[in-house]
Structure formats: C-alpha cells, structure tokens
Amino acid sequence: MIRIHEIIDQVHTYLPDVDTTLIEKAYVYSAKVHAGQVRLSGEPYLSHPLEVALILAKMRLDLPSIAAGLLHDTVEDTLATLDEIRELFGQDVAQIVDGVTKLSKIKFHSQIHKQAENIRKMILAMSKDLRVILVKLADRLHNMRTLEYQKEHKRVRIARETLDIYAPLASRLGIDWIKRELEDLSFKYLYPEEYDELLEKVEAKLGQRKAYVEEVKDLIARKMADFGLSCRVLGRPKHLYSIFRKMKMRNLPLDEIYDLIAFRIILKTQKECYEALGIVHSLWKPVPGRFKDYISLPKANMYQSLHTTVIGPYGEKMEIQIRTEEMDKVAREGIAAHWLYKEGTIVTPEKQKQFDWLNQLREWQKELKDPREFLDSVRMDLFPNEVYVFTPQGDVKEFPRGATPIDFAYAIHTEVGHHCMGAKVNGKMVPLKYELQNGDVVEIITSPQHAPSRDWLKIAKTSRALTRIRHWIKTEERERSLNLGKDLVAREFKKHRANFSEFLKEQGEEVAQSLSYKTLNDLLIAVGYGKISPVQVFKKYQRMVAKGEEAVQEEEGAELEELSEDEAKRLAQSAQHGIAIQGIDNIMVHLGKCCTPVPGDDVIGYITRGRGVTVHRSDCTNIKNLDPDRKVEVSWHREPGETYPVRLQVMTSDKKGMLAAVSNAISNGDGNIKEAKVVTTPDQNAMFHFVVEVQDSSHLKKIINGIRRVQGVNWVGRASYA
Ligand code: MN
C-alpha cells in the first residue's frame, strides 16, 4: 500500500511551497471511516482512495481535488455524511465528493454502446465541476488496474462501460495517457485472447525494431540539425488497443500494420514546426490524405500538432507528429494540466499565458459548429439547456431543461403520451408538472381511460409532445362538438315533434349547404361550437320542408334509416333529459367555475361561442342575465368514482386551530381539500376559502353539516363568484 507521503511529495513537485494540511486531514479522516473495510484484492480499503489521490497528483491537480480523491468513497460506503465533509474540508471538496457519489449511483445496464454519447453527455451535465469527472476518471483508472479481482461477468461489464464511456471522456478532456491506459485495460478484459496474442506479437516486433527506431530517430535529429533546428525526437509504440482497432477497421493482419511506432518531433516554436514538416516531406514521400494541421485548427480538446504519414527509409509507412513543448504538455495532460492556473493559486507572468488557456478554450468552443463537440463542457454548467434521464430499461433520453414526465411519455410513444396518467421518478410518484432532473429514472403510468387535457399544453416543453396534444385536442373537440351539435339539434326537433332521424338522412346535407356549410357534419360541429344555434337550423329545415311539400305533395314519408342503437339511445335521452354532463373532462361540456355545480344540484347549460356548453347551477347569478335562446337543459350522467370541485366559505371566530379543526371535519366527511386560504377580517373573525372535491350534492351536504358542528364555526356555505 502506498503511503500518504508519496502523494504529498508528488504534490510538492508542482506546488513546491504549498501547505498540504488539507490532504493530511483528509487522509486521517478517510483512514478512520474506512477502517476495517477490505477490497476484493484483500488489501485494506484505504489503499484505493490513496491510489486515486496519487493518480490525481500525477495529473497535477489542485489540493481540493486530491482531498476529494481521498474522500471520494466515504459518503457512499461509510457512515460519513456530506455535511460532515463540508464542515471539515469545505464546500469545494464536499461538492466534488457529492458529484462523484452521484455519478457512482447511476447504473447503466443496457445497450451502453448505442447510448454512449448520451451517457457521456449526461455525466457531464451532472458534473457541474469538471474536477468531479477528473476524480471519477482517476477512480475508474484504479478500479481498472485492479479489475482482475472482480468476478468474470462484472469484469466484462465494467470494461465495456470503461471503453464506451470513460476512455472517450478522458480523450475529450485531452488526457491522453489515461485514455490509452483505460483502452488497453478494457481491451485486455473484453478480448482476452486477442489481447494476449497481440501483446506477444507486438513486443516481438518492437524488439526486432529497436535498432530501426534508433536509426530513424538519429536520422531525423541530424536532418533537423542540418537546417539549424534543435529538437527532441521520440519514437513511441502505439498503444495496443489502437493497433487492434486499426486491424479490425481495415481488416489487416498485424504484419501489414507498419506504423506501430509513432515518431514525434518536439521543437521550440510554431514556426519551427512548419519548417520541420517541410524537411520531413523533402526527406520522405508523404502519403496523400494523411497530413493534418491541428496547429492552425486545434481539436476541440485543445490538442495541437502536425500529423503526417510518410514512406520511410525501408519503404514502410511511418507516422510523424510535430509539435512544440507546450503543445506536447497539453497533449499529454489535457485540461488537467491547466487546472491549477484556473484556480489562480500560482499566477506568475509566465503562467499567465497558460491561465489564458481556459479563456481561449471558451472562445474557440464558440466557433465549434458541431454541438456534440465536447468542450462545450468546460463551462461550469456543462449543458445548461439539456437534461438526461433514464427509461426503466436504462436507455438515456435527452430533453430540454424544464421538460416534464409528459414530454417523456410522448418521447416513448404517442399512445403512451395520450394515456399518461402519472409518473414515477426514481420509484416515487411525482406530479405531471415535475421538472425532470439529470439521472432520473422515469416510469410512466398509463390508463386506457386517460386522455390529454388542455392543461398539458402548459406543462409539456417539447414540440413533439405539444404537437401531439394539440392534434388530439383538435380531433377530440371535433368529435365532441359533433355529438353535442347532434344533441342540441335533436332536442330542437323533438320540441317541434319533427323527425330528426329523417332530417339526418334526407334534408340535412341540403340544409347545411344552404347555411353555407360544406357538409351536414360541419353544420352540426358548428352548432356544437356555438357558432350557429339549433333554432336557426330548425327554422331553415322548416322553410325547406314547407317549400318541398308545396312542390311535391305526394312524397311518401321516407323510410327511417336506423340509427345505431347507441346513438338512438343517446339522442332519445338527450331529448328527454337534456345534454348529458358526463365527466368533468369532457372537452365540450364545462362546469361553471363561478358556481362549481356538483351532481344533484339543479343545473342549466349555456351554449357558449366556441367552447361548447357551460353548466351552471340554476341559481347562479351569472346565468340569469344570459341570452335565453342559448340556454339548454342538461342532466347529470356520472361516472362512478368521479369527484367534482366545489367552493366553500367558512366563517369562524379567529382562534387558534380553527383551520385544522375545519380541515379535519372535511376529511372526516371524505372530502378532499384541493385549496385552502384564510382571510382574517377586521372584526377578529376568520374567513376560510376551500376548494373541496366531492362526489355529489348529498356528499356535500354531509360535509357542510360536519363543518357546522365544529365549535367556533359561525357560518358555512357555497361560494359563488361573479
Ligand atoms: Mn472508488
């Protein structure tokens, strides 16, 4: 097991005079809370956070990151709490530990490969502080190094996740050495046979090529010197996984992969890089299409270098990278190399230039056209406009911020959206207006009876959901308007003992056209919407029939076309009892908000312009002044179990506990309180306003009687608003 002093020594190599008390404290604390825990390898658990902290120190990170590395598993795996961490080590450390803990709670269990891009984005979106990801990478790196102690199936799962998620993250953050190591370790566990075979062969080949590598390095250095350029030349074997990938991609045996070694020329200035490139190309013939200038066009992760492939001294392909020392540092360490300077702990004029790196990065990323380009993420809020959530199957879905379970339901399927009645997030029921959070597992509860409502238009955020809800409402409105229009006209016919069934079959279309409607259905829909009254329709019909009778006296009574049984029943009922009030969700029949009628109340309907029929209590003051021609009889047709909101007012003497006592009485009467408001009047009385859900008027009466019996209640009654 490594010792804390190794970590502190490592820190002192790049922060020579820094006070490392924070790290020492974190070490002592971590040792205390992890005491007695053992890793699968048999080592004390503490060895893991120590190794992670050392990796972070090798990445030259700041003190809070290293302290967080020592503490990263304490909240998840021990009795330590986040509050305690915050108190002892400060907000910075606590925030990183919290972020890492949250990441470790996500379980990716299906189709990681297909979902990888979204998962990577989700990880970024969840990590408000980039240091969270750096600690997570160090954690993963050490876990991969000790993967052999895991069980077989776990090894494969973790290696797959590492290859698909974490190695690309390291790559996009520009931390090349972590990316290479993660890839090679994943490769080893995912394709053990191929790995062993390739390792053996590559080692043999590199052995044979040692002399060759030295020769090429010398040759390059000499040629550069001839032109007055001093440089370092490196010949580095490529990592195994990149060779493996190339063999797979091009379907080549190892013998035909020549560029196992990448040569790197490191110079002082950018200008020298281009000069060196010219020299290389004059020495060896470049392979067309393989030259890339990442100096003038850096990669999104800030990587800068010139790449070329040439035909080398023995006719083999040879990859050469040309860059400055500074670029080399960025290429090796990526964003980690610059973290310290961002923190501003040591800003000398010389370092100031590097401090600009992040600012420059921000500038550059503005110019990036591809929204997936990773360094979008360098901002503190990595993806401010997106949120990533899971399906119960573990698929990741992307939504705009503020999206709700309704958006999620429509993203699954239109039918799931239409029948969405509720949602569970992380196993708990949430309201439909709940705002989805990164990492939520969302499950939609559907019911075949459930249907969209207009309110959903305020809740949904995605255009997919909005379009589908609007379409549903429009279709549904047409259908309901048609039914309502039929009901209304049928009643008018019944009143005059005229034959409505015959009208539908015989004269309807003609009447519709003479009233400027394309079809009879359009006319009936217009009646339903209140655009034309049933009286007007009937009058038109009467005139037409009268004319017809004059013209063709002998016309026999047309045989009645049978209506469908259901429709005939419904029409007969409507003619007798008035428009059926079926359910409060009916788009074309609304309950008046002013007087909140409930089943059992004496009610009357009013045909509004464009919103169907509104139902009021007969004694509602609003309906009294309205156009009598538009009034229509209505009757209740209840669905079992449906409840209706009703407004209640309660006056009490203003004493403590009245609200509780009255609420209690309402609950005891099985009423569900939707809203409660209190106004204290100047005379020391209190006025309560409630919205209570009840089944019908007798249920309401029971509740009102219950409230009356409460001591201190002076008056209770239904409220009506103008
Ligand atoms: Mn860990």
Side-chain angles (χ1 to χ4, degrees), residues 342-361:
K342 190 208 165 244
E343 293 300 292
T345 41
I346 28 167
V347 183
T348 59
E350 179 211 344
K351 299 276 161 63
Q352 181 62 43
K353 234 176 83 191
Q354 291 160 322
F355 180 67
D356 291 339
W357 185 81
L358 266 169
N359 294 328
Q360 206 179 355
L361 199 65

Side-chain angles (χ1 to χ4, degrees), residues 557-571:
E559 218 172 289
L560 285 185
E561 172 92 349
E562 286 297 316
L563 293 167
S564 83
E565 219 175 288
D566 278 358
E567 192 161 39
K569 222 161 112 190
R570 191 175 53 76
L571 286 176

Side-chain angles (χ1 to χ4, degrees), residues 45 48 52 72-73 139 143:
Y45 195 90
H48 169 64
V52 170
H72 79 273
D73 278 331
D139 176 43
N143 285 335

